[in-house]
Every structure is written in structure tokens, then in C-alpha cells.
Amino acid sequence: LEAYSMGVPAAITPFIGCHEAVEQNKTGIIAKRAQYPQAVYKLLQNRQKLQQMGANARNKAKKDFSMKNLDRFVETIFNT
């Protein structure tokens, strides 16, 4: 979330709840451990996509993870 607020998209491996935080190919990438290095390399090679994902990530941070919405988000994660 800190990266999002600075306009940096996430690059993560799957974990419970990751799809609620990272929108695949919109605000970041979710790649299996074996494909992670290649997925990050591919993303870094496409500056336009990287910048667009960063802008999307920043907008998501402002919209979905503001202090007023954080309680709602955490409750959604733990109640599913």
C-alpha cells in the first residue's frame, strides 16, 4: 500500500487476500514463485505499462485505502 501511494505497482507472489489488494495487470502483477523473475523483468521492459499501472495503483490507494475506507477493507478481508 505504501508503494501504491507513491505510484508504484505491486509485484507479488500469491497469498490469501492478494486479489483484493492487487488487480492483475492493472495495479500490479501476481506471479507464481517460479515465474516471478520473468514477470517482473517483462513488466520493467514495458515503461508505458509500468507507468499506467503505477497511476492505477496510486488512484486505488487514494480511493480504496484512505483512512476512512481502511477499516472497511480490513473487515472485508477478515470476514471472508
Side-chain angles (χ1 to χ4, degrees), residues 27-79:
T27 62
I29 56 171
I30 304 169
K32 292 182 181 177
R33 192 168 301 222
Q35 288 84 34
Y36 185 82
Q38 294 87 359
V40 171
Y41 179 79
K42 184 178 176 181
L43 178 60
L44 292 173
Q45 296 303 306
N46 188 337
R47 182 169 285 255
Q48 184 178 4
K49 183 174 182 178
L50 184 63
Q51 289 175 338
Q52 183 59 55
M53 288 171 65
N56 292 341
R58 185 173 173 97
N59 290 335
K60 184 172 181 69
K62 285 182 179 180
K63 178 181 162 228
D64 295 343
F65 300 108
S66 65
M67 288 304 289
K68 78 177 188 181
N69 291 328
L70 190 55
D71 287 337
R72 178 183 51 81
F73 174 74
V74 171
E75 185 176 312
T76 300
I77 294 295
F78 287 105
N79 288 331

